[in-house]
């Protein structure tokens, strides 16, 4: 990926931003008959998306400054300082890899995911990175917290009108739209579980620093993710620890940015060492990357659905059957018993489908108890930080298909049976319902729609 392309994209979330800017620049020009958002063409809507989640209209100057520091230049600066300055001033570099980024490197390297991950780990450690983790443990925490929260919300549904439906909270593009535009219509319904990225930030800056006898400010934590919006998530003020005087995540680079770094350094995959990932608990051995259930993302819908079926109705669900509604990115799952519908969940990906969901919410016609919402069509694997083609604004469909095939080849592990999670709940968080667990694993999303001096005017 060319450096100029990365520069254009590093502060932008998705293709709707480009369309928004195009509209702003064409004063008086007639609106197009179609609009594209995240690579989708919506012929039903006569107008362009006239504002974007992460365009300059709702990104503050402070956020813009912080985001501008999340790039290759900043990472290279930290690496260079470690080589020049006194050892006492060195930063300990920690990298966390999103599981959805790993298929990108597998396809680019022409290797299976396990070997591609080892090669990527070898490259990062050759730069001076001390620890390389994946975020599977953090995603496990997020899933377990979401499961417990859903059951609690379901049981109080009759006396709490805002308990259901519950919307997932792992997608920062969706969260920003919900907070800045939809406001109180949906914010009480958003799950309080932190995203895997931000839970990993707490793990690194709190637990791992304790284990390694480091101070949080001595650690530089970088996350590799498939999505530009993850940069915005990292700079949210609630993800800065005043106690540790440090952000949970210092920098987010997209998969394409890291691959560009490899190209700039002329790294040969064949010559790179194969180095296993580090383990949060310091275990010895190379188990290789794992995934949770789900099509192209963390699988919150499937895990919560199966857990709720067992916890609330005593039913063991082995396989989940999706029913496609409007398109493959708007699907639902139903649990029935003796002709009665017990649970009805939906997966809604991409802003065209989110628009439909919002319209139904406004009309009070949402039959679902849980909705997994992701701003990228196709889910996280299709994030524009790794799935954009050489034609700007277009999705590389062939690459996405290859990544999907690679991703589903990963072995599945249920978070409920992951011993590392049980150990961390006990030793790090002092139990599931402890104040420490609530602080590290949960957050609160707010209605910010009233804070805009010029409220975003979104037309679909």
């Amino acid at each position: 990926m060319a450096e100029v392309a990365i520069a254009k994209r590093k502060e932008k979330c998705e293709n709707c931003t480009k369309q928004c800017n195009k509209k702003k620049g064409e004063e008086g020009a007639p609106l197009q008959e179609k609009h594209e958002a995240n690579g989708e063409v919506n012929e039903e809507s006569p107008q362009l998306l006239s504002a974007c989640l992460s365009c300059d209209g709702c990104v503050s100057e402070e956020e813009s400054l912080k985001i501008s520091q999340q790039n290759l230049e900043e990472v290279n600066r930290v690496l260079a300082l470690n080589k020049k300055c006194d050892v006492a001033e060195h930063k300990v570099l920690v990298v966390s890899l999103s599981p959805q980024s790993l298929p990108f490197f597998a396809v680019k390297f022409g290797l299976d995911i396990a070997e591609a991950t080892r090669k990527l780990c070898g490259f990062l450690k050759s730069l001076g990175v001390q620890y390389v983790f994946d975020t599977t443990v953090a995603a496990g925490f997020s899933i377990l917290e979401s499961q417990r929260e859903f059951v609690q919300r379901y049981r109080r549904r009759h006396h709490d009108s805002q308990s259901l439906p519950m919307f997932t909270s792992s997608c920062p593009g969706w969260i920003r739209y919900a907070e800045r535009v939809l406001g109180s219509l949906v914010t009480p319904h958003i799950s309080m579980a932190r995203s895997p990225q931000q839970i990993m930030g707490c793990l690194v800056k709190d637990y791992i620093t304790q284990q390694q006898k480091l101070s949080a400010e001595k650690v530089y934590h970088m996350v590799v993710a498939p999505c530009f919006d993850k940069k915005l998530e990292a700079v949210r003020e609630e993800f800065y620890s005043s106690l540790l005087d440090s952000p949970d995540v210092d920098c987010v680079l997209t998969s394409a940015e890291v691959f560009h770094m490899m190209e700039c350094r002329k790294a040969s995959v064949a010559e790179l060492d194969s180095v296993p990932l580090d383990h949060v608990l310091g275990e010895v051995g190379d188990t290789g990357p794992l995934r949770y259930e789900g099509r192209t993302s963390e699988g919150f819908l499937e895990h919560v659905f199966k857990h709720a079926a067992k916890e609330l109705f005593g039913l063991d669900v082995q396989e989940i059957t999706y029913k496609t509604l409007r398109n493959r990115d708007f699907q639902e799952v139903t649990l029935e018993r003796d002709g009665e519908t017990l649970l009805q969940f939906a997966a809604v990906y991409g802003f065209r489908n989110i628009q439909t969901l919002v319209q139904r919410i406004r009309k009070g016609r949402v039959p679902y108890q849980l909705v997994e919402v992701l701003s990228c069509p196709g889910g996280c694997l299709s994030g524009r930080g790794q799935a954009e083609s050489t034609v700007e604004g277009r999705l590389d469909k062939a690459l996405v298909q290859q990544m999907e095939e690679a991703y589903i080849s990963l072995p599945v592990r249920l978070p409920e049976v992951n011993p590392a999670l049980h150990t961390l709940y006990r030793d790090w968080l002092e139990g599931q319902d402890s104040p420490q667990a609530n602080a590290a694993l949960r957050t609160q999303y707010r209605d910010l729609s009233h804070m805009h001096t010029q409220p975003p005017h979104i037309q679909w």
Side-chain angles (χ1 to χ4, degrees):
M1 185 175 185
E3 187 170 1
V4 63
I6 292 176
K8 285 182 179 179
R9 282 290 174 182
K10 68 181 180 183
E11 293 185 21
K12 300 296 183 182
C13 62
E14 302 295 349
N15 189 46
C16 47
T17 307
K18 185 187 74 170
Q19 296 291 352
C20 173
N21 290 339
K22 180 179 178 181
K23 180 176 182 292
K24 289 178 181 177
E26 296 176 351
E27 296 181 6
L31 294 172
Q32 297 179 6
E33 292 298 317
K34 301 179 182 180
H35 88 263
E36 276 196 51
N38 294 312
E40 296 177 315
V41 178
N42 183 1
E43 296 182 319
E44 300 172 0
S45 178
Q47 295 179 316
L48 286 171
L49 180 64
S50 62
C52 171
L53 306 184
S54 308
C55 72
D56 295 340
C58 66
V59 178
S60 68
E61 290 184 10
E62 183 180 3
E63 286 176 323
S64 296
L65 176 61
K66 291 178 179 178
I67 295 169
S68 69
Q69 295 169 348
Q70 297 194 36
N71 53 39
L72 291 173
E73 290 78 10
E74 182 65 14
V75 173
N76 286 328
R77 184 189 68 81
V78 174
L79 290 169
L81 283 176
N82 273 5
K83 294 179 180 179
K84 294 178 181 178
C85 66
D86 185 87
V87 174
E89 301 298 322
H90 283 191
K91 292 279 190 179
V92 176
L93 273 78
V94 178
V95 173
S96 298
L97 306 174
S98 165
Q100 287 74 38
S101 287
L102 300 180
F104 171 83
F105 293 100
V107 174
K108 292 295 184 180
F109 295 171
L111 301 169
D112 61 64
I113 289 189
E115 181 60 17
T117 302
R118 287 189 286 267
K119 290 288 188 177
L120 177 59
C121 187
F123 169 72
L124 293 169
K125 293 206 169 184
S126 72
L127 300 179
V129 174
Q130 281 88 338
Y131 301 99
V132 181
F133 305 103
D134 71 2
T135 61
T136 304
V137 168
F141 272 126
S142 192
I143 290 169
L144 292 178
E145 291 296 310
S146 298
Q147 289 175 344
R148 294 173 60 246
E149 182 184 357
F150 176 80
V151 169
Q152 292 166 359
R153 284 175 175 263
Y154 186 89
R155 286 174 172 162
R156 67 173 189 263
R157 69 194 184 283
H158 293 305
H159 60 271
D160 181 359
S161 62
Q162 295 182 329
S163 62
L164 296 177
M166 184 175 99
F167 300 116
T168 57
S169 57
S170 63
C171 174
W174 154 244
I175 292 298
R176 196 168 187 85
Y177 176 52
E179 287 186 321
R180 302 291 178 116
V181 180
L182 303 178
S184 60
L185 179 69
V186 300
T187 49
H189 297 270
I190 298 175
S191 170
M192 294 187 295
R194 287 194 185 204
S195 73
Q197 171 175 298
Q198 297 310 134
I199 291 177
M200 195 67 202
C202 286
L203 263 172
V204 169
K205 290 296 182 83
D206 186 14
Y207 179 77
I208 292 174
T209 54
Q210 291 179 33
Q211 299 304 303
Q212 300 299 323
K213 296 180 172 54
L214 297 167
S215 59
E217 64 269 17
K218 290 281 292 180
V219 173
Y220 186 84
H221 181 209
M222 184 182 94
V223 170
V224 180
C227 173
F228 285 97
D229 282 346
K230 286 295 182 180
K231 296 174 184 278
L232 269 169
E233 181 180 38
V235 302
R236 289 177 65 100
E237 62 180 23
E238 61 266 38
F239 298 144
Y240 185 95
S241 172
S242 56
L243 180 63
L244 300 175
D245 192 24
S246 175
D248 297 333
V249 176
D250 294 283
C251 179
V252 176
L253 292 185
T254 65
S255 312
E257 286 176 307
V258 174
F259 188 69
H260 180 65
M261 176 190 285
M262 298 182 70
E263 290 181 321
C264 289
R265 293 174 179 265
K266 296 181 171 52
S268 168
V269 174
E271 295 175 3
L272 288 172
D273 292 333
S274 294
V275 180
L277 291 169
D278 295 297
H279 297 277
V280 172
L281 295 179
E283 309 98 313
V284 177
D286 180 17
T287 57
L290 303 168
R291 70 176 177 93
Y292 294 119
E293 293 182 304
R295 296 175 296 165
T296 59
S297 303
E298 301 291 359
F300 284 89
L301 183 150
E302 295 197 16
H303 285 283
V304 175
F305 188 85
K306 291 182 178 181
H307 176 78
K310 179 67 175 177
E311 185 74 14
L312 298 172
F313 305 105
L315 299 176
D316 286 310
V317 177
Q318 300 300 322
E319 295 292 332
I320 287 182
T321 301
Y322 285 90
K323 177 184 177 182
T324 300
L325 300 180
R326 292 171 56 87
N327 49 65
R328 69 186 292 265
D329 282 333
F330 199 132
Q331 299 186 316
E332 68 177 32
V333 177
T334 303
L335 179 69
E336 296 180 343
R337 181 171 61 189
D338 300 328
E340 178 188 4
T341 298
L342 303 176
L343 292 174
Q344 195 171 6
F345 288 10
V348 178
Y349 300 169
F351 280 102
R352 179 177 59 177
N353 292 321
I354 291 175
Q355 172 203 3
T356 300
L357 175 66
V358 171
Q359 290 171 345
R360 292 182 183 181
I361 294 171
R362 294 191 188 281
K363 294 177 182 178
R365 298 178 182 174
V366 179
Y368 310 115
Q369 293 86 33
L370 179 139
V371 185
E372 181 181 82
V373 189
L374 298 173
S375 62
C376 289
C380 296
L381 285 181
S382 301
R384 290 310 175 96
Q386 65 182 24
E388 190 168 80
S389 71
T390 53
V391 179
E392 186 179 350
R394 294 289 181 180
L395 200 67
D396 189 331
K397 294 182 179 180
L399 173 61
V400 171
Q401 182 176 351
Q402 289 177 288
M403 290 194 292
E404 288 179 356
E405 292 170 356
Y407 186 69
I408 62 174
S409 72
L410 284 172
V412 173
R413 187 177 197 177
L414 300 179
E416 294 90 336
V417 298
N418 187 341
L421 290 171
H422 297 291
T423 300
L424 288 166
Y425 265 122
R426 183 191 66 222
D427 297 346
W428 175 39
L429 300 173
E430 300 183 11
Q432 286 191 331
D433 292 310
S434 68
Q436 294 92 324
N438 286 331
L441 307 180
R442 297 196 172 198
T443 189
Q444 191 74 43
Y445 297 103
R446 301 161 291 163
D447 175 5
L448 302 177
S449 58
H450 60 284
M451 296 178 63
H452 286 85
T453 54
Q454 294 180 334
H457 177 55
I458 291 188
Q459 298 171 317
W460 297 92

